[in-house]
Amino acid sequence: MSISSKWNRRSFLGGLGVAASSLFGARKLSAWPGAPPAREEKWPDLVKVTGFGSTGNVYEELGVAPLINGQGTMTMLGGSLIPAEVETVMGYAAQHFVSIPELEVAAGKKIAEMLKLPAGYTGLVTSGAAGAMTCGYAGVLTGDNEEFIKRLPDLTGMKSEVIIQKSHRYPFDHQIRATGVKLVEIETREDLRNAISPRTAMLHFTNYLNDEGQIKVDEWVKLSRQYKLPCFNDAAADTPPISRLWDYVNMGYDLVAFSGGKDIRGPQCAGLLLGREDLIHYALLNNSPYEDTIGRGQKIGKEEIVGMVKALELFLASDQKAMLELYWSQLDTVSHEVTKIPGVSTAYHYDPNQIANNTVGMDIYWDPRRISLSSEDALEELRKGKPSIVMVGGRHGDGLGLTPWQLKPGEEKIIARRVSEILRAHRASS
Ligand SMILES: *Cc1c(COP(=O)(O)O)cnc(C)c1O
């Protein structure tokens, strides 16, 4: 099958995807399903982009350099790259009107089935984990009371406090405070008991900070049961491992949030709220598409809802062991190249029990007597080079850190070459 006949079968969004694949070079056309989109009218046979986008390099047309991402699933860098199949399915979604609330409920049900959540639990596709927090908390506060939903963040008539361990405060608690609640900080079990009052709406747990607090993830949910209060776990960046998707619901958490646009590789503007059916229903009532709600600004489109379902299906079927092997081999490639330079060493790291951003990485260090270069300068040179590469500083002293999980196959060779060039250029003269 020629490329142009594939193009004939592409939907509009799919067509953009093909263009993107030529831009980034790594995506194989064979990975694209050949089936024509399911629709009645015939789509234009060839979706030819004219004007903006016609080069296939939308970023460079705007004067913005695409990056090689050796850092990780950063919202600041665009999260992750959605697989071609997800893009295609989003294109199918773009071709019809649909009732968004009906679609949300159906997608949530499908997600709950895919994750084998217990009876009485469902899912909601949100604008991200942050959006899941705001609508999830709003729902706990308002229930299905229309007046309350319109009133937020004025909490008159509602509960007004959320309890959080002091060490679990983090930038995303802004999404909880946005509902109008006050965060009550506690440290000990006794503090918790004393903090609970008729004003308490929920207990919040920040999963990646599990080790920092005195009360751990399993005990937090038990205490919430004991005090008959619902509890929320923000596990946004905590997949892989895949099992995390059901672990916390099975532990008893009433609501759990995940990012869709991190390593699940769903649409960048998508996330998951999993939890009790009643609370998920209330969360949706507080969110877009409903107007006069606190969540109206966190719109989630039909394309993202459907794309999230597909991304989750692919993520559940993914071979995480094989992916780790790929990442290790990418690190090996870089290590092999840069350690040819006298005074340069590498150190791999991987903690299989790490909670957030659980993946492999490598640091590159150099002997300052042989190479005179700070981390900052090395990072800046990588960033300013062509292609532009984003990495992080080393964990210990001057060095570079590389996380390969968002690299496209082959990009490790570019990194190996550029890092070597930069290190060689800074060899100390004596
Ligand atoms: C990334 C992240 C979020 C926000 O997730 P989005 O999907 O980008 O909205 C919230 N909490 C934690 C712990 C995160 O890592």
Side-chain angles (χ1 to χ4, degrees), residues 115-279:
L115 301 181
K116 300 190 176 65
L117 297 187
Y121 285 78
T122 190
L124 180 69
V125 181
T126 61
S127 60
M133 289 168 68
T134 301
C135 66
Y137 273 96
V140 167
L141 295 164
T142 64
D144 57 6
N145 183 318
E146 263 180 59
E147 287 311 309
F148 286 177
I149 290 170
K150 287 183 187 166
R151 194 174 297 160
L152 284 186
D154 171 353
L155 294 169
T156 307
M158 291 169 255
K159 294 184 174 182
S160 58
E161 291 177 0
V162 167
I163 299 176
I164 186 169
Q165 294 184 80
K166 195 172 175 189
S167 55
H168 282 218
R169 292 293 308 269
Y170 65 136
F172 291 102
D173 65 42
H174 202 137
Q175 268 56 54
I176 310 173
R177 289 181 279 121
T179 63
V181 298
K182 182 173 154 243
L183 289 177
V184 178
E185 294 178 2
I186 62 108
E187 287 182 82
T188 66
R189 290 158 190 85
E190 199 190 341
D191 292 345
L192 174 60
R193 192 172 58 237
N194 293 334
I196 288 168
S197 80
R199 296 181 299 277
T200 312
M202 202 167 199
L203 306 185
H204 185 78
F205 198 83
T206 309
N207 208 44
Y208 80 96
L209 295 172
N210 185 56
D211 292 346
E212 310 299 319
Q214 294 185 24
I215 309 174
K216 308 299 181 199
V217 66
D218 46 344
E219 189 183 358
W220 192 252
V221 68
K222 282 189 195 122
L223 290 168
S224 88
R225 286 294 88 91
Q226 188 182 318
Y227 296 120
K228 300 191 166 46
L229 286 165
C231 58
F232 193 115
N233 193 1
D234 173 7
D238 304 350
T239 52
I242 294 169
S243 60
R244 296 261 176 78
L245 284 166
W246 46 83
D247 283 348
Y248 306 113
V249 162
N250 287 338
M251 225 177 246
Y253 277 87
D254 299 280
L255 288 174
V256 185
F258 290 98
S259 290
K262 291 182 182 165
D263 200 54
I264 296 176
R265 303 175 195 227
Q268 165 73 151
C269 303
L272 285 176
L273 183 64
L274 306 175
R276 270 168 41 193
E277 272 169 4
D278 55 341
L279 299 184

